[in-house]
Amino acid sequence: MSADVILKDVNKVYPNGFHAVYDFNIEIEKGEFIVLAGPSGCGKSTTLRMIAGLEEISSGDLIINGKRVNDVAPKDRDIAMVFQNYALYAHMTVYHNMAFSLTIRKVDPVEIHARVMKAAEILGLVPYLNRKPKQLSGGQRQRVACGRAIVRDPVVFLLDEPLSNLDAKLRGSMRKELMQLHERLNATFVYVTHDQIEALTLATRIVVMKDGYVQQIATPKEMFDKPENLFVAGFIGTPPMNFSNGVIDAQCEYFEHISGLKFKLTEHQSEILQNYAGKQVIMASRSEYIFIDDAMLSKNKGSQFDIDVDYVEFLGAYNLIYGNIGDEKIIAKVYSRKEIVDKKIHACFDMEKVHFFDIETTMRIR
Ligand code: ATP
Protein backbone atom coordinates (compact mmCIF):
# COMPACT_ATOMS: atom_id res chain seq x y z
CA MET A 1 0.00 0.00 0.00
CA SER A 2 1.21 3.46 -0.77
CA ALA A 3 0.73 6.50 1.40
CA ASP A 4 -1.83 8.95 0.08
CA VAL A 5 -0.92 11.86 2.28
CA ILE A 6 2.42 12.41 4.00
CA LEU A 7 3.22 15.16 6.46
CA LYS A 8 6.93 15.41 7.17
CA ASP A 9 8.17 17.64 9.99
CA VAL A 10 5.34 20.08 9.31
CA ASN A 11 5.36 23.26 11.40
CA LYS A 12 3.06 26.23 11.52
CA VAL A 13 4.17 29.58 12.85
CA TYR A 14 1.54 32.28 12.39
CA PRO A 15 2.68 35.73 11.23
CA ASN A 16 2.35 37.03 14.81
CA GLY A 17 5.02 34.50 15.83
CA PHE A 18 2.65 32.01 17.47
CA HIS A 19 3.88 28.45 16.93
CA ALA A 20 0.63 26.50 16.46
CA VAL A 21 1.91 23.13 15.15
CA TYR A 22 5.24 21.46 15.94
CA ASP A 23 6.94 18.78 13.80
CA PHE A 24 3.82 16.97 12.65
CA ASN A 25 4.71 13.61 11.07
CA ILE A 26 2.32 11.04 9.63
CA GLU A 27 1.97 8.75 6.62
CA ILE A 28 -1.70 8.26 5.80
CA GLU A 29 -2.52 5.19 3.74
CA LYS A 30 -5.16 5.20 1.02
CA GLY A 31 -8.61 4.56 2.48
CA GLU A 32 -7.72 5.48 6.06
CA PHE A 33 -10.06 7.50 8.25
CA ILE A 34 -7.73 9.71 10.26
CA VAL A 35 -9.24 11.71 13.09
CA LEU A 36 -7.32 14.69 14.48
CA ALA A 37 -8.57 15.13 18.04
CA GLY A 38 -7.71 17.32 20.98
CA PRO A 39 -8.96 20.22 23.07
CA SER A 40 -9.71 23.67 21.71
CA GLY A 41 -6.60 25.43 20.44
CA CYS A 42 -4.43 22.30 20.15
CA GLY A 43 -3.74 22.94 16.44
CA LYS A 44 -5.97 20.37 14.78
CA SER A 45 -7.81 22.83 12.48
CA THR A 46 -4.53 24.51 11.59
CA THR A 47 -3.15 21.12 10.53
CA LEU A 48 -6.22 20.36 8.42
CA ARG A 49 -6.12 23.83 6.86
CA MET A 50 -2.46 23.33 5.93
CA ILE A 51 -3.40 20.09 4.14
CA ALA A 52 -6.23 21.95 2.40
CA GLY A 53 -3.90 24.76 1.35
CA LEU A 54 -5.89 27.39 3.24
CA GLU A 55 -2.96 28.00 5.54
CA GLU A 56 0.66 28.25 4.46
CA ILE A 57 3.08 25.59 5.75
CA SER A 58 5.93 27.32 7.63
CA SER A 59 8.35 24.41 7.27
CA GLY A 60 8.24 20.73 6.35
CA ASP A 61 6.73 18.81 3.44
CA LEU A 62 3.17 17.96 2.47
CA ILE A 63 2.90 15.19 -0.09
CA ILE A 64 -0.44 14.20 -1.61
CA ASN A 65 -0.55 11.28 -4.01
CA GLY A 66 3.21 11.28 -4.45
CA LYS A 67 3.51 14.99 -5.20
CA ARG A 68 4.89 17.72 -2.95
CA VAL A 69 2.07 20.23 -2.83
CA ASN A 70 3.26 22.88 -0.34
CA ASP A 71 3.07 25.50 -3.07
CA VAL A 72 0.14 24.09 -5.04
CA ALA A 73 -3.13 26.10 -4.91
CA PRO A 74 -5.99 24.50 -2.93
CA LYS A 75 -8.10 23.89 -6.02
CA ASP A 76 -5.30 21.89 -7.62
CA ARG A 77 -4.54 19.68 -4.62
CA ASP A 78 -6.96 16.79 -5.24
CA ILE A 79 -8.73 17.47 -1.94
CA ALA A 80 -12.27 18.45 -1.03
CA MET A 81 -13.28 20.01 2.23
CA VAL A 82 -16.49 19.79 4.29
CA PHE A 83 -16.82 22.47 6.97
CA GLN A 84 -18.86 22.63 10.16
CA ASN A 85 -20.97 25.52 8.86
CA TYR A 86 -21.67 23.78 5.61
CA ALA A 87 -22.66 27.09 3.97
CA LEU A 88 -24.85 25.89 1.14
CA TYR A 89 -25.97 28.39 -1.48
CA ALA A 90 -29.47 29.27 -0.24
CA HIS A 91 -30.83 30.29 -3.65
CA MET A 92 -29.69 27.11 -5.41
CA THR A 93 -31.37 23.71 -5.44
CA VAL A 94 -29.66 20.66 -3.96
CA TYR A 95 -28.74 19.63 -7.50
CA HIS A 96 -27.09 22.94 -8.33
CA ASN A 97 -25.35 23.14 -4.96
CA MET A 98 -23.65 19.87 -5.80
CA ALA A 99 -23.00 20.76 -9.45
CA PHE A 100 -21.64 24.25 -8.75
CA SER A 101 -17.94 23.55 -8.23
CA LEU A 102 -17.85 21.43 -11.38
CA THR A 103 -19.66 24.08 -13.41
CA ILE A 104 -17.11 26.74 -12.49
CA ARG A 105 -14.36 24.29 -13.42
CA LYS A 106 -16.04 24.01 -16.83
CA VAL A 107 -16.47 20.24 -16.59
CA ASP A 108 -18.53 18.76 -19.43
CA PRO A 109 -22.29 19.05 -18.53
CA VAL A 110 -22.94 15.37 -19.26
CA GLU A 111 -20.15 14.43 -16.89
CA ILE A 112 -21.49 16.88 -14.27
CA HIS A 113 -24.95 15.33 -14.42
CA ALA A 114 -23.54 11.83 -14.06
CA ARG A 115 -21.40 12.79 -11.06
CA VAL A 116 -24.21 14.67 -9.28
CA MET A 117 -26.63 11.78 -9.77
CA LYS A 118 -24.08 9.28 -8.51
CA ALA A 119 -23.37 11.36 -5.39
CA ALA A 120 -27.11 11.87 -4.81
CA GLU A 121 -27.64 8.13 -4.95
CA ILE A 122 -24.79 7.39 -2.55
CA LEU A 123 -26.18 9.96 -0.13
CA GLY A 124 -29.88 9.16 -0.52
CA LEU A 125 -30.56 12.66 -1.85
CA VAL A 126 -32.30 11.79 -5.11
CA PRO A 127 -35.79 12.73 -3.81
CA TYR A 128 -34.55 16.16 -2.70
CA LEU A 129 -32.62 17.33 -5.75
CA ASN A 130 -35.09 20.10 -6.59
CA ARG A 131 -35.37 21.46 -3.06
CA LYS A 132 -33.63 24.51 -1.69
CA PRO A 133 -31.49 24.14 1.46
CA LYS A 134 -34.10 25.75 3.71
CA GLN A 135 -36.53 22.96 2.81
CA LEU A 136 -34.14 20.33 4.22
CA SER A 137 -33.40 18.96 7.70
CA GLY A 138 -30.01 19.60 9.32
CA GLY A 139 -28.86 16.07 8.51
CA GLN A 140 -29.94 16.39 4.87
CA ARG A 141 -28.07 19.69 4.54
CA GLN A 142 -24.98 18.05 5.95
CA ARG A 143 -25.35 15.32 3.33
CA VAL A 144 -25.54 17.93 0.57
CA ALA A 145 -22.30 19.42 1.93
CA CYS A 146 -20.73 15.96 1.65
CA GLY A 147 -22.22 15.64 -1.83
CA ARG A 148 -20.44 18.79 -2.96
CA ALA A 149 -17.18 17.17 -1.91
CA ILE A 150 -17.98 13.77 -3.44
CA VAL A 151 -18.72 15.12 -6.94
CA ARG A 152 -15.17 16.45 -7.08
CA ASP A 153 -13.91 12.87 -6.72
CA PRO A 154 -10.89 13.96 -4.67
CA VAL A 155 -8.03 11.82 -3.39
CA VAL A 156 -8.61 13.14 0.12
CA PHE A 157 -11.69 14.36 1.95
CA LEU A 158 -11.00 16.90 4.67
CA LEU A 159 -13.74 17.37 7.26
CA ASP A 160 -13.63 20.04 9.96
CA GLU A 161 -16.08 19.25 12.79
CA PRO A 162 -18.81 18.51 10.22
CA LEU A 163 -21.29 17.33 12.86
CA SER A 164 -20.84 20.01 15.48
CA ASN A 165 -23.94 22.00 14.47
CA LEU A 166 -26.27 19.02 14.76
CA ASP A 167 -28.19 17.92 17.85
CA ALA A 168 -27.03 14.87 19.80
CA LYS A 169 -29.40 12.38 18.18
CA LEU A 170 -28.66 13.52 14.65
CA ARG A 171 -24.92 13.44 15.36
CA GLY A 172 -25.31 9.78 16.26
CA SER A 173 -27.06 8.90 13.01
CA MET A 174 -24.74 11.08 10.90
CA ARG A 175 -21.75 9.32 12.48
CA LYS A 176 -23.13 6.07 11.17
CA GLU A 177 -23.74 7.61 7.74
CA LEU A 178 -20.21 8.96 7.59
CA MET A 179 -18.81 5.55 8.42
CA GLN A 180 -20.87 3.97 5.64
CA LEU A 181 -19.96 6.76 3.23
CA HIS A 182 -16.28 6.22 3.94
CA GLU A 183 -16.67 2.51 3.23
CA ARG A 184 -18.56 3.10 -0.01
CA LEU A 185 -16.16 5.71 -1.36
CA ASN A 186 -13.05 3.87 -0.22
CA ALA A 187 -11.35 7.28 -0.10
CA THR A 188 -9.00 8.81 2.44
CA PHE A 189 -10.64 10.94 5.13
CA VAL A 190 -8.96 13.39 7.47
CA TYR A 191 -11.44 14.54 10.08
CA VAL A 192 -11.13 17.11 12.86
CA THR A 193 -13.08 16.90 16.10
CA HIS A 194 -12.75 17.78 19.77
CA ASP A 195 -15.20 14.97 20.55
CA GLN A 196 -13.37 11.84 21.64
CA ILE A 197 -16.46 9.68 21.06
CA GLU A 198 -16.43 10.67 17.38
CA ALA A 199 -12.71 9.91 17.32
CA LEU A 200 -13.18 6.44 18.82
CA THR A 201 -16.15 5.48 16.65
CA LEU A 202 -14.98 6.82 13.27
CA ALA A 203 -11.22 6.58 13.07
CA THR A 204 -8.98 3.91 11.65
CA ARG A 205 -6.28 5.90 13.47
CA ILE A 206 -6.57 8.80 15.89
CA VAL A 207 -4.04 11.59 16.23
CA VAL A 208 -4.32 13.25 19.65
CA MET A 209 -2.82 16.73 19.82
CA LYS A 210 -2.13 19.14 22.66
CA ASP A 211 -0.56 22.61 22.51
CA GLY A 212 0.53 22.05 18.91
CA TYR A 213 2.30 18.75 19.63
CA VAL A 214 1.19 15.28 18.53
CA GLN A 215 0.74 13.20 21.68
CA GLN A 216 -0.01 9.81 20.13
CA ILE A 217 -1.04 8.29 16.81
CA ALA A 218 -2.81 4.95 17.20
CA THR A 219 -5.90 2.89 16.43
CA PRO A 220 -8.88 3.62 18.71
CA LYS A 221 -8.33 0.34 20.53
CA GLU A 222 -4.61 0.94 21.10
CA MET A 223 -5.30 4.44 22.26
CA PHE A 224 -7.95 3.26 24.71
CA ASP A 225 -5.96 0.31 26.04
CA LYS A 226 -2.46 1.78 25.91
CA PRO A 227 -2.41 5.55 26.20
CA GLU A 228 1.15 6.83 25.74
CA ASN A 229 0.96 9.56 28.34
CA LEU A 230 -1.23 11.04 31.06
CA PHE A 231 -2.82 13.54 28.70
CA VAL A 232 -4.09 10.86 26.30
CA ALA A 233 -5.18 8.72 29.26
CA GLY A 234 -7.32 11.59 30.51
CA PHE A 235 -8.61 12.62 27.08
CA ILE A 236 -9.72 9.34 25.52
CA GLY A 237 -12.56 7.40 27.14
CA THR A 238 -15.65 8.36 29.11
CA PRO A 239 -15.36 8.54 32.01
CA PRO A 240 -11.68 9.43 31.80
CA MET A 241 -9.10 7.23 33.51
CA ASN A 242 -8.76 7.43 37.30
CA PHE A 243 -5.36 8.63 38.47
CA SER A 244 -3.98 7.45 41.83
CA ASN A 245 -0.81 8.85 43.40
CA GLY A 246 1.59 6.66 45.30
CA VAL A 247 5.02 5.03 45.41
CA ILE A 248 6.46 1.70 44.33
CA ASP A 249 7.81 -0.12 47.41
CA ALA A 250 11.53 -0.92 47.77
CA GLN A 251 11.04 -4.58 46.73
CA CYS A 252 8.96 -3.59 43.73
CA GLU A 253 6.05 -5.73 44.83
CA TYR A 254 3.43 -3.15 45.68
CA PHE A 255 2.02 0.16 44.66
CA GLU A 256 1.57 2.02 47.94
CA HIS A 257 -1.28 4.44 47.51
CA ILE A 258 -1.13 7.77 49.38
CA SER A 259 -4.09 6.60 51.47
CA GLY A 260 -1.84 3.86 52.91
CA LEU A 261 -3.49 1.07 50.90
CA LYS A 262 -1.19 -1.39 49.13
CA PHE A 263 -1.92 -2.94 45.75
CA LYS A 264 -0.03 -6.04 44.65
CA LEU A 265 1.75 -5.61 41.32
CA THR A 266 1.60 -8.27 38.64
CA GLU A 267 4.87 -9.99 37.72
CA HIS A 268 5.09 -7.98 34.53
CA GLN A 269 4.57 -4.72 36.43
CA SER A 270 7.26 -5.64 38.98
CA GLU A 271 9.65 -6.10 36.08
CA ILE A 272 8.94 -2.88 34.23
CA LEU A 273 8.88 -0.86 37.45
CA GLN A 274 12.35 -1.99 38.65
CA ASN A 275 13.79 1.49 38.16
CA TYR A 276 10.96 3.01 40.12
CA ALA A 277 11.48 1.18 43.43
CA GLY A 278 10.98 3.74 46.19
CA LYS A 279 9.81 6.33 43.69
CA GLN A 280 6.57 8.16 43.14
CA VAL A 281 4.39 7.12 40.18
CA ILE A 282 0.80 7.54 39.03
CA MET A 283 -1.38 4.49 38.68
CA ALA A 284 -4.16 4.89 36.11
CA SER A 285 -7.23 2.68 36.00
CA ARG A 286 -10.21 2.62 33.68
CA SER A 287 -13.58 2.82 35.41
CA GLU A 288 -14.57 -0.33 33.51
CA TYR A 289 -11.85 -2.33 35.27
CA ILE A 290 -13.02 -1.65 38.81
CA PHE A 291 -15.23 -4.42 40.14
CA ILE A 292 -17.55 -4.87 43.09
CA ASP A 293 -18.92 -8.37 42.48
CA ASP A 294 -17.90 -11.27 44.69
CA ALA A 295 -16.30 -13.34 41.93
CA MET A 296 -13.89 -10.55 40.93
CA LEU A 297 -13.23 -9.62 44.56
CA SER A 298 -12.12 -13.15 45.37
CA LYS A 299 -9.95 -13.21 42.22
CA ASN A 300 -8.27 -9.89 43.06
CA LYS A 301 -7.40 -10.21 46.74
CA GLY A 302 -4.31 -8.02 46.45
CA SER A 303 -5.99 -4.95 45.01
CA GLN A 304 -9.04 -4.31 47.14
CA PHE A 305 -10.19 -1.03 48.60
CA ASP A 306 -13.26 0.83 49.81
CA ILE A 307 -14.94 3.54 47.81
CA ASP A 308 -16.48 6.32 49.91
CA VAL A 309 -19.52 6.92 47.75
CA ASP A 310 -20.57 10.47 46.85
CA TYR A 311 -23.38 9.44 44.53
CA VAL A 312 -24.41 6.78 42.07
CA GLU A 313 -25.76 7.32 38.56
CA PHE A 314 -28.02 4.52 37.38
CA LEU A 315 -27.66 4.27 33.58
CA GLY A 316 -29.76 1.22 32.83
CA ALA A 317 -27.19 -1.39 31.90
CA TYR A 318 -24.62 -0.15 34.38
CA ASN A 319 -24.01 2.17 37.33
CA LEU A 320 -21.45 4.91 37.61
CA ILE A 321 -20.21 5.18 41.18
CA TYR A 322 -18.64 8.56 41.98
CA GLY A 323 -16.62 8.51 45.15
CA ASN A 324 -13.26 8.74 46.83
CA ILE A 325 -10.43 6.46 47.69
CA GLY A 326 -8.68 8.31 50.49
CA ASP A 327 -8.55 11.93 49.32
CA GLU A 328 -8.65 11.07 45.62
CA LYS A 329 -11.69 11.04 43.37
CA ILE A 330 -12.55 7.81 41.65
CA ILE A 331 -15.27 6.74 39.22
CA ALA A 332 -16.25 3.10 38.84
CA LYS A 333 -18.42 1.77 36.03
CA VAL A 334 -20.05 -1.38 37.32
CA TYR A 335 -22.34 -3.75 35.50
CA SER A 336 -23.27 -5.60 38.65
CA ARG A 337 -26.98 -5.70 39.42
CA LYS A 338 -26.09 -5.53 43.12
CA GLU A 339 -28.05 -2.57 44.42
CA ILE A 340 -25.79 0.18 45.68
CA VAL A 341 -27.21 1.61 48.88
CA ASP A 342 -24.20 1.75 51.19
CA LYS A 343 -22.01 4.80 51.55
CA LYS A 344 -18.94 2.55 51.49
CA ILE A 345 -18.50 -0.06 48.79
CA HIS A 346 -15.87 -2.73 48.73
CA ALA A 347 -14.19 -2.86 45.31
CA CYS A 348 -11.05 -4.06 43.54
CA PHE A 349 -8.86 -3.13 40.60
CA ASP A 350 -8.08 -5.67 37.93
CA MET A 351 -4.32 -5.09 38.24
CA GLU A 352 -3.71 -6.65 34.80
CA LYS A 353 -5.46 -3.61 33.33
CA VAL A 354 -3.93 -0.72 35.22
CA HIS A 355 -1.06 1.38 33.89
CA PHE A 356 1.73 3.27 35.60
CA PHE A 357 2.98 6.66 34.52
CA ASP A 358 6.21 8.51 35.22
CA ILE A 359 5.44 11.65 37.21
CA GLU A 360 8.07 13.77 35.52
CA THR A 361 7.82 12.76 31.87
CA THR A 362 4.07 11.85 32.17
CA MET A 363 4.84 8.87 29.89
CA ARG A 364 3.43 5.38 30.40
CA ILE A 365 6.03 3.09 31.94
CA ARG A 366 6.56 -0.04 29.85
P1 ATP B 1 -10.77 24.59 17.99
O1 ATP B 1 -11.30 23.25 18.36
O2 ATP B 1 -11.08 25.63 19.03
O3 ATP B 1 -11.06 25.02 16.60
P2 ATP B 1 -8.07 23.88 17.14
O4 ATP B 1 -7.36 22.78 17.82
O5 ATP B 1 -8.67 23.59 15.83
O6 ATP B 1 -9.15 24.48 18.12
P3 ATP B 1 -6.53 25.89 15.81
O7 ATP B 1 -7.64 26.62 15.16
O8 ATP B 1 -5.72 25.00 14.97
O9 ATP B 1 -7.06 25.08 17.06
O10 ATP B 1 -5.57 26.95 16.52
C1 ATP B 1 -4.38 26.54 17.15
C2 ATP B 1 -3.77 27.72 17.85
O11 ATP B 1 -3.34 28.69 16.88
C3 ATP B 1 -4.72 28.45 18.78
O12 ATP B 1 -4.04 28.80 19.95
C4 ATP B 1 -5.12 29.68 17.98
O13 ATP B 1 -5.41 30.76 18.83
C5 ATP B 1 -3.89 29.96 17.16
N1 ATP B 1 -4.22 30.62 15.88
C6 ATP B 1 -5.14 30.26 14.97
N2 ATP B 1 -5.16 31.09 13.92
C7 ATP B 1 -4.23 32.03 14.17
C8 ATP B 1 -3.75 33.19 13.47
N3 ATP B 1 -4.23 33.51 12.27
N4 ATP B 1 -2.76 33.92 14.05
C9 ATP B 1 -2.25 33.57 15.24
N5 ATP B 1 -2.64 32.49 15.95
C10 ATP B 1 -3.62 31.74 15.43
Side-chain angles (χ1 to χ4, degrees):
M1 261 206 300
S2 64
D4 237 9
V5 181
I6 301 173
L7 280 81
K8 216 170 146 222
D9 299 329
V10 167
N11 281 267
K12 176 66 189 181
V13 183
Y14 280 108
N16 69 355
F18 184 75
H19 202 147
V21 176
Y22 293 84
D23 296 330
F24 196 116
N25 280 294
I26 191 170
E27 293 198 5
I28 302 173
E29 302 290 343
K30 182 171 165 41
E32 275 204 270
F33 197 133
I34 295 291
V35 175
L36 306 180
S40 182
C42 69
K44 52 197 187 300
S45 294
T46 301
T47 304
L48 195 79
R49 291 169 60 82
M50 285 193 284
I51 301 173
L54 302 174
E55 212 54 81
E56 204 180 313
I57 296 171
S58 307
S59 68
D61 299 315
L62 170 65
I63 293 151
I64 297 179
N65 220 5
K67 221 171 64 190
R68 187 177 186 274
V69 293
N70 289 46
D71 305 316
V72 172
K75 66 178 180 39
D76 301 320
R77 280 193 187 190
D78 247 349
I79 50 112
M81 189 142 174
V82 182
F83 294 96
Q84 61 178 261
N85 55 346
Y86 23 83
L88 302 177
Y89 303 111
H91 61 286
M92 286 186 201
T93 62
V94 167
Y95 183 98
H96 286 109
N97 261 285
M98 291 202 278
F100 185 69
S101 71
L102 301 179
T103 311
I104 56 170
R105 280 181 174 74
K106 304 216 172 7
V107 176
D108 171 39
V110 177
E111 170 78 18
I112 293 178
H113 183 71
R115 287 210 215 168
V116 169
M117 292 312 292
K118 188 170 162 218
E121 267 161 36
I122 289 174
L123 293 163
L125 286 172
V126 175
Y128 310 103
L129 285 172
N130 291 321
R131 291 204 195 170
K132 301 269 177 66
K134 69 170 189 296
Q135 300 166 305
L136 300 174
S137 71
Q140 288 162 344
R141 274 180 231 158
Q142 190 49 261
R143 274 188 260 156
V144 179
C146 290
R148 291 200 306 194
I150 291 171
V151 295
R152 309 240 333 256
D153 196 20
V155 172
V156 190
F157 287 85
L158 304 175
L159 303 103
D160 192 354
E161 304 242 14
L163 307 187
S164 63
N165 287 340
L166 307 177
D167 66 52
K169 201 166 157 220
L170 197 50
R171 284 172 82 109
S173 65
M174 281 304 290
R175 267 206 313 263
K176 200 174 87 206
E177 284 191 25
L178 272 174
M179 249 186 287
Q180 290 168 339
L181 181 64
H182 174 249
E183 258 169 46
R184 250 175 271 155
L185 294 172
N186 192 27
T188 306
F189 279 37
V190 184
Y191 185 104
V192 161
T193 184
H194 63 271
D195 179 345
Q196 51 92 23
I197 305 258
E198 271 176 31
L200 285 170
T201 50
L202 290 171
T204 53
R205 281 192 297 161
I206 304 172
V207 181
V208 172
M209 297 181 72
K210 175 181 176 259
D211 299 334
Y213 288 94
V214 170
Q215 303 291 305
Q216 185 172 3
I217 302 180
T219 65
K221 187 170 180 332
E222 277 170 357
M223 196 132 324
F224 188 82
D225 289 341
K226 293 181 175 168
E228 275 296 299
N229 61 29
L230 285 172
F231 177 77
V232 177
F235 183 72
I236 293 284
T238 342
M241 280 188 127
N242 296 299
F243 296 136
S244 310
N245 283 280
V247 290
I248 301 300
D249 75 320
Q251 280 71 42
C252 227
E253 286 175 19
Y254 292 94
F255 170 72
E256 296 176 348
H257 185 241
I258 43 166
S259 63
L261 287 165
K262 282 184 176 187
F263 301 121
K264 180 97 178 77
L265 303 175
T266 65
E267 265 179 44
H268 175 65
Q269 288 161 350
S270 294
E271 266 169 43
I272 60 172
L273 289 163
Q274 283 298 321
N275 293 338
Y276 289 86
K279 287 193 189 150
Q280 241 185 309
V281 293
I282 290 175
M283 183 175 97
S285 55
R286 289 243 174 252
S287 303
E288 289 83 349
Y289 298 129
I290 297 173
F291 298 92
I292 61 169
D293 59 289
D294 297 336
M296 285 306 276
L297 282 167
S298 63
K299 240 174 94 181
N300 293 284
K301 294 210 169 64
S303 57
Q304 301 191 358
F305 58 98
D306 284 327
I307 304 177
D308 293 315
V309 180
D310 284 336
Y311 60 98
V312 177
E313 268 179 11
F314 173 67
L315 288 154
Y318 59 87
N319 289 295
L320 284 181
I321 305 173
Y322 293 82
N324 299 280
I325 155 171
D327 291 332
E328 282 177 346
K329 296 273 171 222
I330 192 159
I331 307 173
K333 185 173 183 178
V334 294
Y335 290 84
S336 166
R337 304 304 291 180
K338 194 152 84 179
E339 209 176 332
I340 301 162
V341 283
D342 300 334
K343 279 285 151 202
K344 225 183 227 323
I345 297 177
H346 202 53
C348 64
F349 293 114
D350 177 353
M351 288 302 278
E352 300 277 347
K353 303 286 190 189
V354 307
H355 296 297
F356 292 91
F357 291 86
D358 185 303
I359 294 232
E360 267 151 38
T361 64
T362 81
M363 300 300 280
R364 182 164 54 85
I365 301 164
R366 47 185 184 160

